[in-house]
Amino acid sequence: MSPEMRSAKLTKLCEVEGFDDENELFAAAISDSVCPAICCNPDNPACDYTAEMEPDQDRGWCEMCERGTLVSALVLGGII
Ligand SMILES: [Zn+2]
């Protein structure tokens, strides 16, 4: 995944989840047992399917793409 896509997906995830910036999102995710995840399918960059996943998830199932392309916010941000 390109750094541009990574940061675009993080921004989108903040928007969807209602956080002002990604640091707020990370703080909330770290204090919780689940973490918002977003689809990062390189073959379908327009897919912004999100779901609650395990914080270390990097292959969560995307219902739209029918592929394991969901990546958690903490993985996207390089936190874990
Ligand atoms: Zn998808």
Side-chain angles (χ1 to χ4, degrees):
M1 197 186 328
S2 69
E4 290 77 21
M5 183 171 175
R6 198 175 273 266
S7 92
K9 290 291 180 182
L10 266 178
T11 304
K12 185 71 195 177
L13 206 42
C14 292
E15 247 176 68
V16 171
E17 298 290 323
F19 294 104
D20 289 337
D21 63 39
E22 52 202 60
N23 290 324
E24 262 185 47
L25 175 68
F26 296 152
I30 285 167
S31 64
D32 209 342
S33 57
V34 291
C35 176
I38 189 163
C39 178
C40 296
N41 183 354
D43 298 329
N44 186 15
C47 179
D48 287 322
Y49 181 80
T50 61
E52 298 281 315
M53 294 270 161
E54 302 79 29
D56 62 348
Q57 182 61 260
D58 63 356
R59 255 167 255 152
W61 191 249
C62 175
E63 304 275 343
M64 308 302 282
C65 300
E66 299 191 323
R67 255 173 81 170
T69 48
L70 254 65
V71 182
S72 89
L74 293 178
V75 173
L76 265 181
I79 311 288
I80 52 172

